[in-house]
Amino acid sequence: MWRLNKVRHKAGRPGDSVEELKLKRREHEKALRQARRDRQLVSKRLLLNDDEDQSEVTMDTNSGEQDVVAVLQKLHHSGPERDTHLKALSKALRDPSAQLTFIKQENSMHLLVGLLTGSDATCRLQAVRCLHELSHSPHTSVASACLPASPYLLTYLSGQSTKFTELCLYTLGNLCPDSVVKEKLLAQGIVPALASCLENQRHNLAVVEAVGFTLSQLLQANDAAEKIIPMVLASSLPSHLLSVLTPDPKFGLGPAIECAWCIHYLTCSMKDHRVLLAQGALLQCSSLLVSLGGAVAEGNKEEGMELLICPLLRCVGNLLSSCPLTDLSAQMGDIRIVVALCALLQAFLHTQPALARESAWVLNNLTAHSRALCSALLTLNLVPGLIQLLPFSQGINTMILRVLANIAHNKKDFCVQLAHRGLLSALCATLKMADQEMVTLSMDVLFMLVVSSPQVAEEFVKQGGLLLLEAIQYNSEGEIRQRATHLLEHHLLS
């Protein structure tokens, strides 16, 4: 079904080495994206050439500094071999020491910018490749040295070949985490440039993915909420980013992953989500989650799918906080969202518990806002599956108990239905847990169930509830003991 579209420019190697390199590239890209699940991540990406052979990719870079000086001398003289010299320079610039040597050479950046803006298309491509290698440098001084090229990189986003545009975008994305470069790029109009590029190239998946990467780098800046996000919201970027979040498997996961993280960075950095809600962000994200949840329920867990599910869950959870209750049903679509969330919960419980917890968090936010969705969990018989998750730790059980509390809080009849589905016996187990938060939440839910119906209270007594509460009275402290006493004296013993 789904296919994770990766960066196109990979080095070519003879025989099995091609597959080996592809595997390493896939693992590297996956590691970069996976790190975002638990924290924001500013990362750099390096695109490899299509036409490099094995000796070129694995070349010895010990002589990189000398190579840079020698090649620069050759490039100062015009001639038909400039293309060859630029290729040699880009390879030499993979050596971090050579990168420092390059920026220290007199007029080196001026020469490279001249070739970037020249009339020879082949030299322009090789020049941007050199800049791309420099942008990947671990040395902060190199990023600032690339500033003279930044206005041209932005200009070239408006119409070049796919490979050239990708290189410009990933180069900009690698450079913009540097605070000095970021300020310059913002002043030079990187936000409208990215918006225009995404609008004009929205059917070019490689470029869309590259735009998403570059924008995500910008949005992770410490001052993004004050300086960058208002500019992004005022542009056409949000609507185009949302349009990429499509359940069409032909579109691929790669672009959707990058754009979903951009939307996530927008939602988590601002309190007022009205602009995004007005553009249908909640509906778009939840609809894609429904599609992905359906695929997961059918046993389809394509590689990289969890890297798209994670930001979508966070987007939905954050957007719910700003969505008016009167608009919730229209914004969320239909009740299939709770089916999808329960499917994701079950599917990732053992392999990706953090993702299961995110799913439970969104389910909690939904049920806190909507009686209809609480009813859907009962009607679709999803509650027994949730009750079975109460023994699990890592924050999953507390979130599930909050979901059940939301259901119980909505209607007395819901409490009776919860009791009939086995919640009373589950609460008898959770009340014995060492986790005080679980015990407190369990007391809250138990109170709502017991006071909802005499039959429920009677059933709790039959299951040994009196002895359990009496034990809590003598073995617990403070508020929990008081709650146990109140239940016994006012609702059970009476």
Side-chain angles (χ1 to χ4, degrees):
M1 179 184 175
W2 296 90
R3 291 292 179 268
L4 180 60
N5 284 313
K6 295 297 183 180
V7 173
R8 299 299 190 279
H9 305 315
K10 300 184 175 71
R13 293 185 179 186
D16 294 337
S17 297
V18 174
E19 294 305 317
E20 181 182 349
L21 180 63
K22 287 181 178 180
L23 178 62
K24 289 181 179 179
R25 293 294 300 161
R26 283 197 299 269
E27 290 175 349
H28 178 63
E29 292 293 326
K30 184 177 181 181
L32 289 175
R33 287 183 173 127
Q34 279 183 323
R36 290 172 168 173
R37 285 207 310 264
D38 299 315
R39 68 184 190 278
Q40 292 184 346
L41 172 71
V42 173
S43 58
K44 294 189 176 185
R45 296 194 188 171
L46 181 66
L47 305 189
L48 299 179
N49 284 322
D50 291 326
D51 56 352
E52 291 176 307
D53 61 27
Q54 185 174 7
S55 61
E56 290 176 316
V57 174
T58 60
M59 63 172 287
D60 179 12
T61 56
N62 291 332
S63 59
E65 296 178 50
Q66 292 85 351
D67 292 341
V68 163
V69 175
V71 172
L72 278 174
Q73 291 175 348
K74 295 176 182 177
L75 282 172
H76 277 291
H77 304 87
S78 59
E81 295 184 349
R82 265 190 170 173
D83 177 31
T84 304
H85 297 328
L86 280 169
K87 285 184 179 180
L89 179 61
S90 69
K91 287 185 294 181
L93 288 174
R94 287 178 186 159
D95 179 6
S97 299
Q99 295 161 358
L100 291 176
T101 300
F102 175 83
I103 64 172
K104 292 175 182 177
Q105 300 300 305
E106 186 177 1
N107 292 326
S108 58
M109 190 56 66
H110 178 75
L111 173 63
L112 198 54
V113 171
L115 293 169
L116 176 67
T117 58
S119 59
D120 189 322
T122 304
C123 283
R124 284 203 304 269
L125 181 60
Q126 293 303 325
V128 78
R129 159 59 63 185
C130 292
L131 286 166
H132 183 62
E133 297 288 350
L134 288 168
S135 74
H136 200 257
S137 175
H139 303 295
T140 55
S141 58
V142 176
S144 299
C146 293
L147 270 175
S150 61
Y152 304 105
L153 293 173
L154 291 173
T155 300
Y156 286 144
L157 298 184
S158 59
Q160 296 288 328
S161 68
T162 295
K163 184 187 297 185
F164 191 91
T165 304
E166 268 192 288
L167 281 167
C168 289
L169 284 166
Y170 281 111
T171 301
L172 289 166
N174 289 342
L175 292 173
C176 65
D178 181 272
S179 58
V180 175
V181 176
K182 179 198 66 184
E183 293 297 329
K184 195 73 173 178
L185 288 173
L186 289 172
Q188 291 171 345
I190 187 172
V191 172
L194 290 175
S196 176
C197 182
L198 188 55
E199 182 174 2
N200 296 330
Q201 303 268 9
R202 60 186 179 275
H203 300 299
N204 189 327
L205 302 186
V207 172
V208 169
E209 185 172 355
V211 170
F213 166 75
T214 303
L215 181 59
S216 71
Q217 297 284 81
L218 274 176
L219 292 174
Q220 291 176 80
N222 291 331
D223 57 355
E226 297 79 26
K227 293 186 176 181
I228 301 172
I229 289 179
M231 298 171 65
V232 172
L233 292 177
S235 72
S236 62
L237 276 169
S239 61
H240 291 306
L241 291 170
L242 290 169
S243 69
V244 178
L245 305 183
T246 170
D248 183 1
K250 295 180 180 178
F251 204 80
L253 286 180
I257 288 171
E258 295 299 340
C259 293
W261 281 105
C262 288
I263 298 296
H264 162 61
Y265 295 139
L266 288 172
T267 60
C268 73
S269 300
M270 50 193 283
K271 295 180 180 179
D272 188 352
H273 301 127
R274 284 178 294 180
V275 173
L276 292 175
L277 288 170
Q279 296 188 34
L282 185 54
L283 180 60
Q284 194 80 6
C285 292
S286 59
S287 297
L288 185 51
L289 269 180
V290 168
S291 176
L292 292 168
V296 168
E298 295 173 358
N300 184 345
K301 287 198 284 186
E302 194 81 28
E303 179 190 0
M305 187 180 286
E306 73 277 7
L307 305 176
L308 174 57
I309 292 171
C310 182
L312 289 174
L313 287 169
R314 294 180 182 181
C315 288
V316 172
N318 286 327
L319 289 168
L320 281 171
S321 63
S322 299
C323 183
L325 296 180
T326 53
D327 298 340
L328 186 60
S329 58
Q331 290 279 2
M332 288 304 302
D334 54 42
I335 61 175
R336 291 181 299 165
I337 184 64
V338 295
V339 179
L341 291 171
C342 288
L344 295 174
L345 243 173
Q346 298 286 352
F348 294 107
L349 184 63
H350 299 288
T351 58
Q352 304 276 357
L355 204 56
R357 187 169 59 248
E358 299 267 7
S359 302
W361 171 65
V362 176
L363 193 58
N364 171 59
N365 287 5
L366 281 171
T367 51
H369 287 81
S370 171
R371 175 178 289 190
L373 294 179
C374 289
S375 178
L377 286 170
L378 290 165
T379 305
L380 299 173
N381 201 31
L382 297 171
V383 167
L386 296 177
I387 292 175
Q388 291 175 4
L389 302 179
L390 290 177
F392 285 87
S393 58
Q394 301 189 54
I396 295 172
N397 51 3
T398 54
M399 202 60 68
I400 294 298
L401 203 48
R402 292 181 188 278
V403 172
L404 296 171
N406 291 338
I407 299 173
H409 179 74
N410 266 282
K411 200 174 180 182
K412 286 187 175 181
D413 181 58
F414 288 176
C415 293
V416 176
Q417 293 187 54
L418 287 171
H420 289 165
R421 283 165 171 77
L423 183 54
L424 283 176
S425 59
L427 290 176
C428 288
T430 56
L431 284 167
K432 299 174 184 176
M433 288 183 172
D435 186 341
Q436 290 301 295
E437 184 180 7
M438 278 297 290
V439 175
T440 302
L441 286 170
S442 298
M443 290 294 294
D444 290 340
V445 177
L446 178 62
F447 178 82
M448 288 186 281
L449 265 59
V450 166
V451 302
S452 69
S453 163
Q455 290 77 20
V456 174
E458 184 179 343
E459 180 61 31
F460 179 65
V461 172
K462 287 180 181 179
Q463 295 187 22
L466 292 179
L467 292 175
L468 178 59
L469 290 177
E470 288 172 353
I472 291 175
Q473 271 186 306
Y474 292 104
N475 297 322
S476 300
E477 297 180 0
E479 187 179 355
I480 294 177
R481 183 174 61 190
Q482 293 174 3
R483 292 186 184 193
T485 301
H486 180 81
L487 266 176
L488 282 169
E489 294 179 354
H490 296 279
H491 298 284
L492 294 174
L493 294 177
S494 60

